[in-house]
Amino acid sequence: MIIDLRSDTVTKPSKAMLDAMLSAQVGDDVFREDPTVNTLEERLAKLFGKQKALFFPSGSMANQVAIKLHTNPGEQVICDKYAHIYNYEVGGVAFHSGASCKLLDGHRGMFTAAQVKEAISPSEYYYSQTSLVEVENTTNKGGGACWDFGEIEKIKEVCKTNNLGFHLDGARLWNAMVAKNETTQQYGQAFDTISVCLSKGLGCPVGSVLIGNEDIMKQSLSLRKLFGGNMRQVGYLAAAGLYALDHNIERLAEDHQRAKEIGAVLASLNTIKKVEPIETNIVIFELNDAVDEAEFLNKLKEKQIHIIGMGSHKLRMVTHLDYTAQMHEQLIEILKRF
């Protein structure tokens, strides 16, 4: 039995999801004639209390289009030093938007309204002007940590006072909402634009959606085309998203529970220096200095267990839809013998 915990993106569509995809009504989305993707976009816009949503082939493209909607060349985006848009999107902020990132030294990928206020550039013409604040929830490099919504509301007030855009990279927002018992409407009221992923956690093969009101989103379709992201009969993929919204959100609590159980076992091992706090489906742990990381990973591979290294002796496991109860029991027993 192969146990793949490298990411929650390794899932495959279930038979029921595939059936929904195969029975989807489709059309040419470049002509905006695909009824299924139109339904998905309308549903997500309504869920978040926004006027418009647009399907993208990836979360990175959705985020990068959002940044371009909010900024002009030479301007600055405030984000955490661990932010996905800075670390894992190939310098897209600079390449696509001609903008730079003002990096905040937050806690596990999360910062405060006071830090945002302090980071806003002075108004003199020779400074790069701040135009956008970006938040990631849950935080990937922060180990699936969930933001305090009260702090998000405080940051929103700073943005409003200083005429800044406010974007949410919600790649794992569904996990945060399940863990914290929050709603889509709350997030829709707080942020100007929101990207949500359907292939992390929800089990879809492809897809993210960018959500916002008409005024900020009016150039989103042409920018998606500019970025090479327009698609044709995309309803086959959108049908997976509709299925996931109906069936795969509440069950995320199972992933969270299993992640916590893995963390408890890891914390008991003398080979492990530290396990980061676990709120959702990501387990980040640090090996003791005397433990050889490559050897540790190879021992797991020999048992058909696949995880990834994050550098600095830190490793990551991510629970997901295809990580079954049987796999979980086997992993726990193997870890106990490490």
Side-chain angles (χ1 to χ4, degrees):
M1 180 173 15
I2 295 174
I3 301 174
D4 193 342
L5 296 174
R6 290 172 299 164
S7 177
D8 45 6
T9 59
V10 301
T11 57
K12 309 259 188 334
S14 64
K15 185 181 184 304
M17 182 180 282
L18 286 171
D19 288 343
M21 294 168 70
L22 289 170
S23 62
Q25 290 185 317
V26 297
D28 192 329
D29 185 52
V30 172
F31 295 129
R32 306 303 287 155
E33 293 176 355
D34 189 298
T36 306
V37 79
N38 290 343
T39 298
L40 175 66
E41 290 170 351
E42 289 163 9
R43 180 170 172 183
L44 281 167
K46 186 176 180 181
L47 267 177
F48 284 88
K50 297 292 192 186
Q51 295 167 334
K52 189 170 180 179
L54 188 63
F55 186 92
F56 282 81
S58 74
S60 290
M61 186 182 286
N63 282 333
Q64 292 303 316
V65 165
I67 291 162
K68 198 159 181 66
L69 290 171
H70 284 286
T71 65
N72 294 306
E75 293 179 345
Q76 201 163 72
V77 180
I78 294 174
C79 63
D80 191 84
K81 65 182 181 182
Y82 284 165
H84 194 280
I85 64 164
Y86 177 74
N87 287 280
Y88 299 122
E89 297 185 11
V90 206
V93 177
F95 185 85
H96 295 298
S97 297
S100 60
C101 290
K102 182 69 169 287
L103 301 179
L104 299 183
D105 187 12
H107 173 65
R108 299 181 65 210
M110 301 171 289
F111 45 84
T112 66
Q115 285 179 287
V116 172
K117 195 172 181 180
E118 186 178 349
I120 297 170
S121 296
S123 59
E124 283 82 5
Y125 74 91
Y126 40 81
Y127 286 99
S128 171
Q129 293 302 298
T130 308
S131 56
L132 176 64
V133 177
E134 186 268 355
V135 157
E136 181 185 335
N137 198 21
T138 66
T139 64
N140 179 15
K141 288 194 77 171
C146 302
W147 279 73
D148 173 68
F149 196 81
E151 198 63 42
I152 287 174
E153 292 180 314
K154 290 176 186 176
I155 295 170
K156 174 64 176 178
E157 285 305 308
V158 173
C159 291
K160 193 174 179 181
T161 301
N162 293 276
N163 196 30
L164 306 178
F166 198 21
H167 174 64
L168 172 63
D169 175 0
R172 293 185 174 90
L173 181 60
W174 312 109
N175 294 86
M177 288 191 293
V178 167
K180 304 274 281 185
N181 197 28
E182 295 163 343
T183 69
T184 51
Q185 291 289 320
Q186 283 178 274
Y187 281 93
Q189 289 167 10
F191 290 90
D192 299 311
T193 52
I194 300 165
S195 68
V196 293
C197 187
L198 302 171
S199 62
K200 291 187 180 79
L202 298 194
C204 295
V206 175
S208 287
V209 178
L210 181 63
I211 304 156
N213 282 334
E214 188 67 42
D215 55 347
I216 190 68
M217 290 285 286
K218 61 186 177 182
Q219 294 299 316
S220 59
L221 187 60
S222 60
L223 286 173
R224 188 181 72 175
K225 173 69 172 176
L226 177 66
F227 282 32
N230 273 12
M231 294 158 282
R232 300 294 180 175
Q233 287 73 32
V234 72
Y236 293 116
L237 298 176
L242 289 167
Y243 178 89
L245 291 175
D246 288 334
H247 298 93
N248 291 349
I249 293 178
E250 290 183 7
R251 62 145 307 280
L252 290 169
E254 297 174 18
D255 297 342
H256 301 171
Q257 182 58 36
R258 287 171 182 164
K260 289 171 184 175
E261 290 169 6
I262 292 169
V265 174
L266 289 170
S268 70
L269 303 179
N270 58 20
T271 51
I272 308 302
K273 180 188 289 187
K274 181 184 179 183
V275 179
E276 297 288 347
I278 299 166
E279 292 183 77
T280 53
N281 67 324
I282 299 178
V283 182
I284 293 179
F285 59 100
E286 185 176 352
L287 300 173
N288 280 325
D289 296 338
V291 179
D292 184 277
E293 181 177 327
E295 186 178 326
F296 187 91
L297 286 169
N298 283 331
K299 281 177 69 178
L300 287 174
K301 281 183 183 177
E302 288 171 5
K303 303 287 187 181
Q304 297 297 305
I305 298 166
H306 302 277
I307 69 173
I308 61 170
M310 301 188 72
S312 303
H313 239 41
K314 288 186 177 181
L315 304 173
R316 187 184 82 165
M317 298 183 184
V318 186
T319 57
H320 52 75
L321 178 65
D322 288 356
Y323 175 61
T324 65
Q326 184 183 0
M327 291 177 183
H328 184 58
E329 289 176 16
Q330 183 165 325
L331 176 71
I332 293 297
E333 287 307 310
I334 290 170
L335 287 178
K336 284 178 178 177
R337 297 195 295 268
F338 256 64

